[in-house]
């Protein structure tokens, strides 16, 4: 298994440009999510998905779009990049389990994409 | 979302010494995750706790979730240079998998 893969590893954009960060997993996980990591702030949830065709907003969704057309892929789109979006982006996935009954599963993280917006 | 406070923010320990990191929440902790991150790399899963009083160990790392489920601690015994990195705690809500993270604890191990 490749686990969770992310591309690209590094990216530099100019303000106003758009791009898509790719995330894929080969573990048949229902749950996938995107986080951004900024110095001193830990990771913050951007968007998440509990299955193909289902997405929802996290803590910091503005300026980002997602879609989930397949179980394997969960791309993150930056519509019009801004310097405030300079960050390291992580994708994660896990089995959904039954959290309402205290059944949590390991969440696997990808290696990250380091994005700089000039 | 759940707010998690990690302490200390950073620590330097002599190789061979023990260290403890705390993760405190104002709300009940459900799925509590510990991850380790090397600078510039992804997150490595260490352990997940979900029952009050639960304790798990892997090699020289032990994590506990207190009975009231509002604090977790991560303890490293006889630290080694390989233990250096950033340790992050993350908490899931009672009915979902969205994780809220603490700001992290940076561990430096001096030879």
């Amino acid at each position: 298994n490749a686990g969770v893969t992310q591309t690209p590893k590094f990216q530099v954009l100019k303000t106003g440009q758009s791009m898509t960060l790719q995330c894929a997993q080969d573990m048949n996980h229902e749950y996938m999510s995107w986080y951004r990591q900024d110095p001193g702030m830990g990771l913050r949830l951007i968007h998440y998905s509990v299955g193909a065709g289902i997405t929802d907003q996290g803590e910091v969704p503005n300026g980002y779009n997602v879609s989930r057309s397949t179980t394997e892929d969960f791309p993150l789109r930056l519509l019009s990049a801004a310097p405030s979006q300079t960050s390291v982006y992580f994708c994660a996935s896990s089995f959904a389990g039954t959290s309402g009954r205290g059944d949590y599963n390991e969440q696997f993280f990808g290696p990250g994409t380091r994005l700089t917006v000039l | 979302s759940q707010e998690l406070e990690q302490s200390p923010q950073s620590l330097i320990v002599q190789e061979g010494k023990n260290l403890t990191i705390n993760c405190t929440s104002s709300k009940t902790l459900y799925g509590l995750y510990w991850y380790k991150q090397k600078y510039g790399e992804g997150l490595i899963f260490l352990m997940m706790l979900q029952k009050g009083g639960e304790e798990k160990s892997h090699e020289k790392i032990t994590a506990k979730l207190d009975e009231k489920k509002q604090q977790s601690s991560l303890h490293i015994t006889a630290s080694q240079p390989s233990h250096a990195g950033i340790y992050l705690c993350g908490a899931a809500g009672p009915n979902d998998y969205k994780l809220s993270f603490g700001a992290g604890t940076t561990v430096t191990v001096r030879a």
Side-chain angles (χ1 to χ4, degrees), chain A residues 1-35:
Chain A
N1 284 352
V4 180
T5 57
Q6 290 183 237
T7 56
K9 197 165 175 62
F10 300 94
Q11 183 70 49
V12 178
L13 292 177
K14 293 182 180 176
T15 296
Q17 287 184 314
S18 62
M19 81 157 293
T20 299
L21 307 186
Q22 300 292 344
C23 173
Q25 52 88 13
D26 60 358
M27 297 172 280
N28 206 29
H29 287 165
E30 300 97 337
Y31 181 76
M32 295 185 75
S33 54
W34 276 102
Y35 293 87

Side-chain angles (χ1 to χ4, degrees), chain A residues 99 102-105 107, chain B residues 2 4 28-34 47-51 54 65 69 89-100:
Chain A
S99 68
D103 178 16
Y104 295 93
N105 298 295
Q107 293 204 22
Chain B
Q2 192 155 17
L4 299 175
T28 299
L29 293 168
Y30 293 91
L32 188 285
Y33 296 74
W34 281 102
M47 274 166 273
M48 193 271 289
L49 308 163
Q50 53 187 352
K51 295 177 181 151
E54 188 173 13
L65 182 60
K69 294 179 69 179
C89 66
N95 296 303
D96 59 49
Y97 309 97
K98 297 177 288 186
L99 293 183
S100 298

Side-chain angles (χ1 to χ4, degrees), chain A residues 13-18 36 62-64 78-87 89 115-118:
Chain A
L13 292 177
K14 293 182 180 176
T15 296
Q17 287 184 314
S18 62
R36 59 177 288 173
N62 292 342
Y64 307 95
L78 279 70
L79 309 172
S80 177
S84 60
Q85 293 178 304
T86 293
S87 188
Y89 291 84
L115 176 69
T116 301
V117 183
L118 303 175

